Amino acid sequence: MVASFPVRASGAKAMKGPERVATLLLAMGKPAANRILKHFSEDEIRVVTKSAAQLGAVSPAQIEALVDEFASNFSNGADVIGSVAHIEKLLAGVLSPEQIADILSDVAGTANRSIWERISTVSESAIASYLLKEHPQTAALILTKVKPSCAAKVMAQLPQPLRNNLMRRMLSMKPIVDETMKNIERTLHEDFMVNFSKNAGSDTHAKIADIINKMEREHMEDVLTSLSTVRPKSAEILRGLLFTFDDIVKLTPRDRTTLFDQVPPDRVVLALKGTNEEFRKVVLAALSSRVRRMIEHELSSKEPSPQRDITEARRSITDLALDMAGRGEIVINSETEDESFV
């Protein structure tokens, strides 16, 4: 950071280092300032932002004295007015919206707004997904700290066994040592406030994947093929997020059982028509012996069914799997790559 150096013009007060830097950046304009700001650390940007916001009006004479060593044509420049709005525009494109908001919250006098208040503004589905990966005790602590309305919405997104477990832990929660709490808050700040913008793209992909999952198989392949030619990276991400009837074999045996416990036998019969023997074995192994015998008997009759009904049965099972995965009841698209048997 630039050291303090007195700059006086027409009786103006001396500027300190951060004020000088702020004045130069504002006078340069956004394109040039952006190139320089990219070399600053976040702490340096925070200091300069505070100075810029409190800078007020800077006369052309002060600017001339400040930048004389860099550019003589600054002597006739316009007045520079430092404000939160000006510095916010300057930072746009250099930092993420979340980082800018975090820095400007200090300037606006809201720096004391806790990380818990800020997390409470994150979507409940994002918080629920985060908590599913955490130890239940950590998840319980987080839920005791966020706003009650937020905690209630997050709880609704969690599987019932976990929800009840967390409620018991919340009731018996003991005070946390300050140092431990600070570490937790730092981690949460990194995960939610800093990385949130980085994950925004993945949220978009998840929404698009949900749309593609509802398409007919041939339409799905057509869309992905088209995307592969213009946006190969996005197409690759989307393929990893998709879940079709073929992907049932990628579920763990336990998750397959959990899924098919919710599917009526007649729908299973329809969905399995046209599949090969190996695929059927995988699915039938997830069923109770009584239901399995009944379905095997129905399939052995080889009575034809309209393809439309078969497609609809498969789609309903796929939709159910996606819904259950969204609630954390099963896990889809695991890292294991199994062969498709359909």
Side-chain angles (χ1 to χ4, degrees):
M1 187 63 66
V2 182
S4 176
F5 182 82
V7 176
R8 296 179 183 274
S10 304
K13 68 175 183 178
M15 284 187 182
K16 295 180 180 179
E19 293 171 330
R20 296 172 70 239
V21 174
T23 301
L24 285 170
L25 290 171
L26 289 166
M28 285 177 187
K30 184 171 179 176
N34 278 358
R35 290 195 294 271
I36 294 173
L37 282 168
K38 288 177 182 177
H39 298 283
F40 282 31
S41 69
E42 187 171 333
D43 286 340
E44 288 172 333
I45 293 176
R46 191 181 296 275
V47 172
V48 172
T49 299
K50 289 180 181 178
S51 297
Q54 299 166 4
L55 194 59
V58 181
S59 69
Q62 287 176 284
I63 298 174
E64 180 183 356
L66 182 60
V67 302
D68 186 54
E69 60 185 287
F70 299 107
S72 59
N73 62 356
F74 268 60
S75 59
N76 295 319
D79 288 356
V80 170
I81 300 177
S83 67
V84 174
H86 282 79
I87 198 65
E88 185 175 5
K89 288 180 181 177
L90 201 61
L91 294 177
V94 179
L95 299 178
S96 71
E98 285 72 28
Q99 288 173 305
I100 295 174
D102 190 39
I103 289 173
L104 292 180
S105 70
D106 291 344
V107 177
T110 58
N112 292 329
R113 191 164 72 103
S114 74
I115 180 67
W116 305 109
E117 289 182 75
R118 284 179 275 174
I119 289 177
S120 296
T121 65
V122 177
S123 75
E124 56 268 19
S125 58
I127 300 175
S129 298
Y130 182 84
L131 296 186
L132 285 168
K133 301 171 187 174
E134 293 297 312
H135 186 281
Q137 192 67 13
T138 305
L141 171 64
I142 292 171
L143 288 172
T144 62
K145 292 293 183 180
V146 297
K147 291 181 179 179
S149 57
C150 171
K153 291 177 182 176
V154 172
M155 283 284 209
Q157 301 271 333
L158 300 174
Q160 185 180 10
L162 177 59
R163 186 165 63 240
N164 295 338
N165 181 9
L166 292 181
M167 189 60 73
R168 289 192 296 270
R169 289 173 181 270
M170 290 164 69
L171 285 169
S172 58
M173 187 70 63
K174 295 179 180 178
I176 308 292
V177 230
D178 285 348
E179 190 56 37
T180 303
M181 183 60 74
K182 285 178 183 176
N183 289 334
I184 293 172
E185 289 177 348
R186 273 197 296 270
T187 302
L188 290 171
H189 179 274
E190 178 71 20
D191 289 345
F192 281 102
M193 299 301 109
V194 177
N195 291 333
F196 191 72
S197 63
K198 296 178 184 176
N199 295 329
S202 63
D203 289 342
T204 302
H205 285 103
K207 290 175 184 176
I208 299 302
D210 190 41
I211 294 172
I212 297 177
N213 266 320
K214 301 292 191 296
M215 291 181 173
E216 298 294 339
R217 187 57 185 261
E218 60 269 23
H219 296 162
M220 178 188 295
E221 289 300 331
D222 182 58
V223 167
L224 290 172
T225 302
S226 175
L227 277 174
S228 297
T229 60
V230 290
R231 299 187 64 174
K233 186 62 180 176
S234 289
E236 182 183 347
I237 294 171
L238 286 170
R239 285 186 185 278
L241 293 171
L242 295 178
F243 183 83
T244 66
F245 187 68
D246 305 34
D247 296 321
I248 284 173
V249 295
K250 297 179 183 178
L251 297 176
T252 64
R254 180 178 178 178
D255 283 348
R256 271 197 297 272
T257 299
T258 303
L259 170 63
F260 281 100
D261 278 348
Q262 307 295 321
V263 183
D266 59 335
R267 191 172 301 162
V268 178
V269 172
L270 272 174
L272 288 180
K273 289 192 174 184
T275 59
N276 63 40
E277 186 178 352
E278 289 301 315
F279 185 88
R280 289 185 185 184
K281 282 182 180 178
V282 172
V283 173
L284 292 172
L287 308 175
S288 68
S289 55
R290 183 183 62 82
V291 175
R292 182 168 61 249
R293 285 195 300 271
M294 183 179 70
I295 289 175
E296 285 174 335
H297 174 73
E298 291 291 331
L299 289 172
S300 65
S301 69
K302 300 190 183 298
E303 183 180 342
S305 297
Q307 186 59 44
R308 182 181 61 186
D309 293 347
I310 294 173
T311 301
E312 183 56 37
R314 292 179 180 179
R315 185 185 300 283
S316 67
I317 294 173
T318 302
D319 288 347
L320 175 61
L322 290 167
D323 289 343
M324 293 176 73
R327 296 192 296 268
E329 296 172 14
I330 63 173
V331 177
I332 62 174
N333 293 326
S334 62
E335 295 299 320
T336 308
E337 290 295 333
D338 294 322
E339 181 183 0
S340 174
F341 297 111
V342 177

